[in-house]
Amino acid sequence: MAAVLVVEDNPEHQAVIAEVVRRLGHDVTLAGDGLAGLAAALAHRPDLVVADVDMPHMDGIRMCRALRDDPSTATVPVVLVTAYLPPGDTLLTGADAAAVVPKPFRVRELTETLRACLEAPPAPLPARAHHTAFVEAMLHSLDTGVVACDLDGRPVVVNQAVQELFGDRSSTVPIHDWVSEFGLRRHDGSPMTPGEMPVLRALAGEEVRHAGMLAHDRQHRPRWFSINARPVRDAAGVPLGAVAAVHDVTADHHQHRYERCKSRVLKALVKAPDTAAAGEAVLLAIAGELGWPYLRLWLVDEVTDRLRPVATHNEPGSPEIYIPAGMDRGSGLAGTCWERGELIWVPDIQAAGSPVLSQVRESGAYRAAGAVPVRSGDRVVGVLTFFTHDLQEPEPALAVLLTGISGHIGAYLDRRRAEDLAGQLAASIGEYVALVGHELRTPLTSIGTYTDLIAESGDDTTIGEVRDLLAVIERNNARLRTLVDRLLDLSALESGHAQLTVTAVDLTAVLTAAANTVVADAPDPHPTVRTNLPTQLTIPGDPARLRQVAENLIGNAVKYSPAGTTVVVTLTADEDAAVLTVTDTGIGIPAGERDRLFARLYRATNARHSGIPGIGLGLALTRAIVDLHGGVITLSDGEHGGTIATVRLPRRSL
C-alpha cells in the first residue's frame, strides 16, 4: 500500500482524485495549496504526489521543483494536473514531472496514469563515477541558491546564484561572518544574529524549513528569501557540515505587500472625511506597506493652475526634502509628471542626469524616486511623488499598483465633488421652497394686510393717520424688489449673460472704499472694522463686481457681530494669488451648515432666528463673482469663535 499526497485547491477535484487513489487501494493525504503540499511531502515522504498546477501561494510547478531540490524527495514521482498548460509545454517538461494529466480528465484516464506511476520502478540516480560532475553542473545551473559549510563554518559549496547575489567573496567569508559582512536581516527588516542563520542552525543539528531572510544584492536592492537547511552526515551518521537551499521569494513578497497596500489604501479612502485626511491616510498606508520614507500628494490649484501639496509623509529620522509650496507644469519631478501625464521612475537618483532631482541628489539621502499622475477622467488633477532609501527598479507589478492607487484617489476626488454637487442641488430645491414659503409670502402678507387696513379705514381718515401703514407697504415692496433684482443678477452671472468688465484693479482701494461704505451704513452701535492692507495690490478683474464681493463679506461680518468687537479685513499676496480674509467674532456658523451657505436663499439657522434681516443671496452672489474671476472662496471657524471668510484671486490675466 503506497502513500499518495494529493495537492489540489478545488475541493471537488480534490475529492475525485482522492477517491481514485482509494479505489486503487492506497492511502491518501490531502493539501489545499502548494506550500501546504510541500510541507506535507517534506514531513512524511510520499510514494507519489498528485498536484494541480494553478494553486495559491505556490503553484504545482514550483512545488515540484522544490521537491526535486530536496534530497529526501528528489526521486518522488509527481503527476501534474493542469487546466491551462498543454502537456508539452516547456514549463511542465522543465518541472521533471512523471506524468501530466490535462483537465478535463476522465476517471479511467486518471486511474491508469496513477497506476502506472505507482507500479513503475524507482527513478535511478546518476552513476557514481559521474555523480560529482553532475552535482557541480546542477548546482551552478540552479536559480535556487545553495550554500554548504563544514563543521567549522567554512564555505564548501557556494553556487552561482549566491555568488551573483553577494559577489565572489561569499565563497571565502566564513558563514559566521555573513550577517555582518552582507547585512543579513530577518524578513521584517529587523537585525539578525549569526546564530539565527538557517545554515548555522542546521550545523547545530536542526532541520530548518522556510526560514525567512532579507538581504541586499550588489546593486543595493532588497531581496527576500525562503531557506531550507539541514545537517549533512556520512553513512555512519557522523556530522560533516550543513547545507542550505536559498529560494528567492522577492516576487511573492512584493505581491503580498502590494495586495496589503491596495487594501489599506481603499480602507483609508472609505473612512476619510475630507481630501486632506484622505491624502494623509493614503500616504501612511503606502509608507507602511512599501517602506518608503518620503511621499507627497499634490493637487492642481484651479485658481493658480499650479500644483500645491495637500499631504506629506516624512518618516521620522529621514531628512526633509525642500520642495516649493507651488509647482509649475513641467517644473521639478511633480511638475514634469503633471505635464507628461505618465508615471516617471528614477531608479537611481545619483546616476540621473536630470536637474529635476538636483537637490535630492546633492543631499545623498535617497536612492530612488518617482511620480504618478492622479487623473479625473482624461484630466490630470494631481501627482503622487515618492522617494526611497533603496534602489527601486520600475517593476511592472509596482507600476500597476501605483497607477491603481492614483486611480482610486482620482475616483475619491470625483466622488467628493459629486457629493458636494448633490448636496447643493438638494439644498437649492429646499431653499426655493423656503423662498415661496417665507421670502415672498412674508412681505406679501405685510403688504396685503396693511392694504386691507387702509381700505377699511373710514372716509374721514386723514393721510397722516395712514402714513405709517403706507411706510410698511413701501418697506416690504422694496424688499421684494431687492430680492427680485438680486435673483436676476445671480442668474445672469451663473448663466454667463452678465459679462465682467476686466481692467487692472487696485484691491487695496476697493477694500478701503467697501469698508468705509459698510461702516457708514451700519446702525449704531456696531463693531469696529480694522484693515490690514498693503499700499497697493493690483490684479485683473471687474472693479464693480469685486467691490460687491468686498461689501457683502465685510457687511456680513459687521451685521452678525456684536458691538464692541472687531472685524479684521486683511489682504496679502504670494506670487500666484491675492488672498483676502475677513475675520469676525460674531455668531459663527452652526456645525454642518458651512457648505450650504453658498446656496441661493439659504440662511444659517442661528441667523434666521436672530431677528437680523437678510435674504440669503449675498454669499451666493459673492461666490458666483469669485468663480468668474477664476478664484475660490471658503468659510472656516475662527480660533475664538466667529467666522473667517477667505478669498483667493489669481494675479495673472483672466
Side-chain angles (χ1 to χ4, degrees), residues 608-650:
R608 289 201 306 269
H609 300 142
S610 66
I612 300 173
I615 58 176
L617 286 173
L619 285 177
L621 278 165
T622 297
R623 185 166 72 170
I625 295 170
V626 171
D627 287 346
L628 286 175
H629 280 80
V632 291
I633 179 171
T634 58
L635 300 176
S636 58
D637 294 332
E639 184 178 354
H640 304 292
T643 303
I644 301 174
T646 303
V647 176
R648 288 177 57 86
L649 296 167

Side-chain angles (χ1 to χ4, degrees), residues 58-284:
M58 177 183 282
D59 61 44
I61 293 175
R62 291 172 56 204
M63 188 194 75
C64 187
R65 290 174 179 168
L67 292 174
R68 295 289 174 262
D69 290 341
D70 195 294
S72 66
T73 57
T75 59
V76 174
V78 177
V79 175
L80 290 176
V81 182
T82 177
Y84 70 98
L85 292 177
D89 191 278
T90 55
L91 289 175
L92 294 174
T93 56
D96 197 20
V100 176
V101 177
K103 292 180 180 180
F105 56 79
R106 304 302 297 268
V107 169
R108 177 178 296 178
E109 174 191 0
L110 180 64
T111 301
E112 293 303 320
T113 301
L114 299 187
R115 180 184 286 115
C117 291
L118 288 167
E119 293 175 357
L125 292 173
R128 192 69 179 174
H130 304 292
H131 185 65
T132 301
F134 275 108
V135 169
E136 287 186 3
M138 177 187 69
L139 289 175
H140 287 290
S141 64
L142 287 174
D143 291 331
T144 300
V146 178
V147 176
C149 67
D150 61 17
L151 291 176
D152 295 324
R154 293 187 297 254
V156 176
V157 175
V158 178
N159 76 338
Q160 189 68 30
V162 176
Q163 291 183 27
E164 289 176 356
L165 177 66
F166 296 126
D168 294 338
R169 294 191 63 250
S170 57
S171 60
T172 60
V173 175
I175 299 297
H176 298 84
D177 297 333
W178 277 35
V179 168
S180 58
E181 184 71 21
F182 302 123
L184 305 184
R185 307 181 78 83
R186 302 188 187 104
H187 244 196
D188 61 1
S190 59
M192 172 182 282
T193 63
E196 293 178 274
M197 286 189 62
V199 69
L200 293 182
R201 290 165 56 189
L203 195 61
E206 180 183 355
E207 291 206 8
V208 181
R209 302 292 183 192
H210 310 301
M213 187 181 76
L214 168 63
H216 287 75
D217 62 17
R218 287 181 290 177
Q219 288 75 43
H220 202 66
R221 296 172 301 189
R223 306 282 287 275
W224 284 264
F225 299 93
S226 177
I227 302 174
N228 296 328
R230 61 187 303 162
V232 177
R233 298 182 176 89
D234 64 13
V238 177
L240 301 175
V243 63
V246 184
H247 303 275
D248 190 333
V249 295
T250 302
D252 291 340
H253 180 81
H254 282 168
Q255 187 61 39
H256 292 154
R257 287 204 308 174
Y258 298 163
E259 291 174 359
R260 292 196 305 269
C261 182
K262 180 179 178 180
S263 177
R264 284 187 59 179
V265 166
L266 290 174
K267 290 179 181 177
L269 291 175
V270 168
K271 296 179 180 179
D274 52 50
T275 301
E280 296 287 349
V282 167
L283 299 190
L284 183 61

Side-chain angles (χ1 to χ4, degrees), residues 320-345:
E320 179 73 36
I321 299 175
Y322 169 73
I323 300 180
M327 192 79 75
D328 289 319
R329 191 186 300 269
S331 174
L333 179 62
T336 303
C337 179
W338 179 23
E339 181 179 53
R340 296 180 185 175
E342 61 185 25
L343 186 146
I344 294 178
W345 212 297

Side-chain angles (χ1 to χ4, degrees), residues 542-568:
D542 185 321
R545 291 298 188 180
L546 292 176
R547 172 74 175 268
Q548 197 174 353
V549 168
E551 289 185 359
N552 281 342
L553 295 180
I554 300 172
N556 277 349
V558 169
K559 180 164 55 174
Y560 294 113
S561 297
T565 61
T566 301
V567 172
V568 180

